[in-house]
Amino acid sequence: MGALVLATVLSAGVASYGWRYRDEPSGRWFIALTVSAGCWSLFELSFLVADSPDARFLWFVLESVPAEWSVFFTLLFALEIAGYERWVSRRTAALLAVWPVLAITGVATNALGVHALLWESLSFATVGGITATEVVPGPLFWVDVAYSYVAIGAALVVLGIHCLRSRQIYRKQALVLFVAILTPAVVGSAYLLSPFMPANPIAVSFAVTSSLFAVGLSRYRILDISPIARDLVIERMADPVVVVDRKGRLADSNPAARALFDGSPSSLGSPVADVFGAETASALEAGGELRVVDDNGEARHFEVDRSAVTDGRDVVRGHLHILHDITERRVRERWFRALTENASDLIFVLDADGSVTYLSDSAAQTLGADEDPSEVRSLKRFLHPDDEDAATETFREALERPDEDATAELRFRSSTRGWRVFGVRCRNLLDDPVVGGVVVNAQDVTDRRKHEQQLETFANVVSHDLRNPLNVAAGYLELVKEADRPDPDHVERIEAAHERMGEIISDVLALARGGTVDERETVSLDAVAAEAWTNVETGTATLDTAGSASFAADRTRLLQLFENLFRNAIEHVGDGVTVTVGATRDGFFVADDGPGVPPADRPKLFESGFTTADDGTGFGLAIVRAIADAHGWSVGYEDAPGAGARFVIRGVEHAGDAAQDSTPASSDDA
């Protein structure tokens, strides 16, 4: 009886301890199992101490209830804790519960005399103060025994597999549960073969089972989620997992971690620094980021998620490290950084006070701060003094309206190109946890503003320069209409006005073409120059060719270039001018023997509308520059040897060996 009392008390204690895990499926089945086992022991104890046959018979019948359900709960608990919870569904539980319900109903109806399927006869005899039960089992008794041992056998099989698959503490957990469930099964088998005591030894054996459960709960924490879910969660995780005890020794690792660090199960218990290296051990201890070079020599980056592992007394026993692979994120960050650093736009990030917290490489190089961009704390020294107020106002608007972009056009000083106009867009991302600042994107719009000025020039030409000859032609046309006999001079004036408008329109169209040249053909310098000469009214002027070369160009536009240079020489020098065309090492030149261009006028030579001739349009040299730019060439002015003007086109790739310039080479060609 003492063993039954011990079994009842231990089962109650174990069940109460397991109550804290009632929210977990395995915890619920464990509580039900230990309560059933305790009730079985209690009912058997009550059976033995009963003082009448009727009372004994009642406890004998009631004992079947915990006996049947303990088998049912044992199987479900074993499936759940061994990682086969997918088999423990409501449907499965309902199917497995069919036989216990039928068996308990059969016991009740057998006791009422409805049938004799479970036992044919039942009697109690007391000999020497010991009550013995004599039972003649019926056919369903053996069916019930078979069901019970099949269920218990299945539970032992899944626990055995779980024990073989697990390692270290988890194997000990499975082994404790295996022995705890095996003990009643072995005792029951022996009792069926040869009854050896008055009490049911299975109920007595629960003292051993409950003791093992207590050891499993206290020492091996069989209901803690970490060891229960280890095989399903940690072993199968793609992320490496490392468990380190409080002495810095490797307590556990999953296959992903062992593959990453080339570790082995035999390394358990060794210092982490010896297993993974001092650098890795330090990174695990500090958390943050870890860099590992794999077998292919490629660096992989991991973010270490470090958390303490505590026992039931909240004492830290070690730390769990989950390594999240962030290699792809680092690659994207490098890609984004390379994208921003190599972008032509200037990118800044300012804090709420307007101080610079980030400066892209393009910004540092453009502004001349690439020596040490980290020392740049303010953009004021790069701003044009006249634009400081506009910049302050734009920044203030960005702070006040975080949902809208604040825009402005500001001038920044380029380290190589002087003052440049930038279209600035500010976006307030101070509340963004990743950025935490005001992002400023500045795009160079200087060339666009020049093009807009060109458009304005074209508009002025249309509205002013064309209007003048048009008015002249209209005035003389009225005189012609009013006269009986038109004055030939009036007709000539009208013709001259139309010619003037034609020249202006041609020049404007030539300038408007701009762009780049896509289709080219191989041309000969002397041949194109000779053809262009015939397209210009040269009068008594002469053309001299000093060497030739072949190169790829748009022939039509190249003709326009030469025509404008020839016309420019004739307009500014006179009909008797001698124009010389020749090849240079990287291009060609057009020179005349006139007085040259005064130094004061040279900076404006290639600007649209600038001319020193009374009848010039001011577009000739601007057209020359536009055509050169479209080819990817450059054009410049220099004094010709002796006297005169010399225009040199550079950046031309010759198709063959260029003829040597018979005139002395310019300083740019040396």
Side-chain angles (χ1 to χ4, degrees), residues 20-101:
R20 70 179 64 184
Y21 301 100
R22 62 188 179 277
D23 294 332
E24 299 294 332
S26 58
R28 291 194 290 269
W29 297 127
F30 180 79
I31 295 170
L33 169 59
T34 52
V35 168
S36 298
C39 289
W40 193 351
S41 299
L42 178 62
F43 289 1
E44 181 66 20
L45 177 63
S46 300
F47 168 79
L48 292 178
V49 299
D51 56 359
S52 67
D54 291 339
R56 292 193 187 97
F57 183 73
L58 175 61
W59 287 114
F60 176 84
V61 172
L62 291 177
E63 194 174 333
S64 65
V65 177
E68 294 293 338
W69 287 119
S70 62
V71 174
F72 170 77
F73 292 134
T74 297
L75 176 58
L76 294 182
F77 172 66
L79 291 172
E80 187 75 45
I81 204 168
Y84 298 93
E85 72 281 351
R86 62 185 180 278
W87 293 355
V88 185
S89 62
R90 291 183 179 180
R91 185 181 213 179
T92 304
L95 290 174
L96 292 175
V98 169
W99 179 256
V101 172

Side-chain angles (χ1 to χ4, degrees), residues 206-524:
F206 284 140
V208 177
T209 299
S210 297
S211 299
L212 290 173
F213 280 165
V215 172
L217 287 171
S218 62
R219 184 170 183 178
Y220 301 117
R221 305 171 63 199
I222 57 176
L223 292 182
D224 283 354
I225 187 170
S226 295
I228 292 174
R230 183 189 187 283
D231 183 61
L232 294 177
V233 179
I234 299 180
E235 284 292 319
R236 304 179 190 179
M237 282 182 65
D239 290 338
V241 178
V242 176
V243 181
V244 181
D245 66 16
R246 56 188 175 186
K247 294 184 178 180
R249 297 172 302 191
L250 180 63
D252 200 1
S253 62
N254 69 343
R258 294 194 292 273
L260 177 66
F261 296 110
D262 292 330
S264 63
S266 60
S267 302
L268 296 180
S270 302
V272 175
D274 295 343
V275 180
F276 299 146
E279 183 178 351
T280 299
S282 176
L284 292 176
E285 177 68 23
E289 187 170 323
L290 172 66
R291 181 178 179 272
V292 180
V293 178
D294 61 18
D295 295 337
N296 298 324
E298 298 181 0
R300 296 175 63 186
H301 298 267
F302 294 88
E303 188 176 63
V304 181
D305 184 1
R306 185 173 186 264
S307 58
V309 178
T310 60
D311 59 14
R313 301 180 183 85
D314 291 331
V315 176
V316 176
R317 304 297 299 274
H319 287 86
L320 174 71
H321 306 82
I322 302 178
L323 281 56
H324 304 290
D325 195 333
I326 58 172
T327 305
E328 184 176 352
R329 187 172 77 189
R330 287 290 176 261
V331 170
R332 288 198 303 269
E333 288 175 355
R334 290 197 298 270
W335 175 83
F336 178 75
R337 179 174 293 275
L339 186 66
T340 55
E341 302 300 357
N342 293 285
S344 58
D345 291 0
L346 314 186
I347 301 175
F348 317 96
V349 178
L350 311 178
D351 61 16
D353 297 328
S355 299
V356 178
T357 60
Y358 171 77
L359 186 70
S360 67
D361 281 354
S362 57
Q365 293 171 6
T366 300
L367 301 180
D370 51 337
E371 294 83 1
D372 190 357
S374 62
E375 294 184 358
V376 177
R377 291 292 177 264
S378 173
L379 298 179
K380 183 176 180 180
R381 66 188 178 100
F382 302 109
L383 270 172
H384 194 285
D386 296 340
D387 291 347
E388 290 181 8
D389 292 341
T392 302
E393 179 63 20
T394 303
F395 183 73
R396 184 187 63 79
E397 290 180 7
L399 294 179
E400 294 178 351
R401 298 181 296 177
D403 297 332
E404 301 179 18
D405 289 345
T407 60
E409 285 193 358
L410 306 174
R411 285 167 290 180
F412 288 92
R413 186 183 68 248
S414 169
S415 60
T416 57
R417 306 175 69 182
W419 292 108
R420 304 286 292 178
V421 180
F422 286 84
V424 176
R425 183 178 298 274
C426 301
R427 185 70 172 182
N428 185 351
L429 297 177
L430 286 168
D431 294 333
D432 190 310
V434 177
V435 181
V438 178
V439 179
V440 180
N441 184 281
Q443 184 179 34
D444 193 334
V445 296
T446 307
D447 294 336
R448 189 177 74 192
R449 289 292 170 262
K450 289 182 179 179
H451 294 157
E452 291 174 353
Q453 292 173 0
Q454 287 181 338
L455 291 176
E456 185 177 354
T457 300
F458 297 157
N460 291 335
V461 169
V462 174
S463 62
H464 181 268
D465 293 5
L466 280 177
R467 190 181 300 277
N468 289 336
L470 182 62
N471 290 337
V472 170
Y476 281 106
L477 182 60
E478 289 296 325
L479 294 176
V480 170
K481 289 181 179 179
E482 293 173 358
D484 294 334
R485 297 183 64 184
D487 187 340
D489 182 59
H490 294 170
V491 176
E492 290 179 1
R493 293 293 183 93
I494 294 173
E495 291 177 348
H498 280 89
E499 290 176 358
R500 176 63 175 167
M501 286 189 288
E503 292 175 357
I504 294 174
I505 292 172
S506 297
D507 288 348
V508 169
L509 290 176
L511 270 179
R513 292 182 68 180
T516 58
V517 171
D518 296 325
E519 297 183 3
R520 307 187 186 200
E521 60 179 294
T522 302
V523 297
S524 174

